[in-house]
Amino acid sequence: MDTNKTFFAHETAVIDDGCVIGEGTKIWHFSHIMPNCIIGNNCNIGQNVVVSPQVILGNNVKVQNNVSIYTGVRCEDDVFLGPSMVFTNVINPRSAIKRQDQYLETVVKKGASIGANATIVCGNNIGEYAFIGAGAVVIKEVKPYALVVGNPSKQIGWISEYGHRLSFDDGGLATCPESGDKYALKNNELRKL
């Protein structure tokens, strides 16, 4: 366990050896941080969270209650993981067959949000600032700024860095109502101007 004591861990949290935990991070009741995880600065790990071995979380990652983050997952900075969402790490699990050598990597890019009870099937990356709706089951790659919902998930629109659904004019331009940031949609790709 990191002994620099610049993070908070509730007395019921379990933090295994070999973990690196950043300054200002908080780990709450009954959470288990397994060996060799890297957790960045100013993260919040909610109640009853499992962070499996070798998981990497960037800075300012918010993990809500009852989330399972399995080996092979990497979350970049400013990611939000909603209550009871889950990642998988084996595409065809069987109890009697060991497949630890077949874990698929999943990367959640900067600023992405994953809603409550969503499932991210392993090997499908989530683009920057994408927004995964509550209960969605993600079975393919998600583009940056994409808004996806459903089971299986499908893209229904685009979302700003502030989390607002974007409406486009005839020229493919949109403005975030909160930040005033402008976005351009061209060839089914969104970019911030």
Side-chain angles (χ1 to χ4, degrees):
M1 183 174 79
D2 189 330
T3 58
N4 66 16
K5 302 297 182 200
T6 62
F7 65 90
F8 166 82
H10 188 269
E11 62 185 20
T12 61
V14 176
I15 302 172
D16 291 340
D17 290 337
C19 295
V20 176
I21 300 172
E23 183 175 347
T25 288
K26 294 179 175 70
I27 302 168
W28 293 100
H29 308 67
F30 312 113
S31 289
H32 187 181
I33 312 302
M34 296 177 80
N36 304 314
C37 292
I38 299 173
I39 298 175
N41 298 328
N42 301 311
C43 293
N44 191 67
I45 309 297
Q47 180 175 303
N48 196 38
V49 170
V50 174
V51 182
S52 292
Q54 302 171 356
V55 163
I56 299 172
L57 303 180
N59 297 320
N60 197 42
V61 173
K62 305 297 187 230
V63 182
Q64 301 301 302
N65 297 344
N66 306 311
V67 171
S68 298
I69 310 172
Y70 294 120
T71 301
V73 173
R74 179 168 49 93
C75 295
E76 295 184 351
D77 295 348
D78 305 320
V79 164
F80 177 87
L81 303 178
S84 301
M85 68 77 51
V86 68
F87 294 95
T88 70
N89 62 0
V90 174
I91 203 71
N92 58 342
R94 292 289 195 199
S95 178
I97 300 170
K98 300 216 181 298
R99 292 196 164 118
Q100 286 90 344
D101 61 338
Q102 296 176 27
Y103 290 161
L104 297 179
E105 183 177 82
T106 300
V107 178
V108 183
K109 297 290 202 165
K110 178 180 174 62
S113 292
I114 301 175
N117 293 306
T119 299
I120 310 301
V121 175
C122 56
N124 296 297
N125 298 322
I126 310 298
E128 293 89 350
Y129 301 102
F131 197 99
I132 311 302
V137 178
V138 174
I139 61 170
K140 61 183 179 181
E141 298 280 317
V142 176
K143 291 183 176 192
Y145 300 102
L147 172 60
V148 300
V149 298
N151 179 8
S153 66
K154 66 177 184 174
Q155 184 174 347
I156 62 166
W158 301 95
I159 199 152
S160 74
E161 290 181 12
Y162 276 63
H164 295 280
R165 192 165 181 178
L166 295 171
S167 297
F168 296 90
D169 64 20
D170 292 339
L173 299 176
T175 302
C176 173
E178 185 174 353
S179 68
D181 292 337
K182 303 211 178 296
Y183 295 84
L185 182 61
K186 185 174 182 183
N187 299 324
N188 204 31
E189 299 288 334
L190 186 70
R191 69 182 175 88
K192 185 178 170 186
L193 300 176

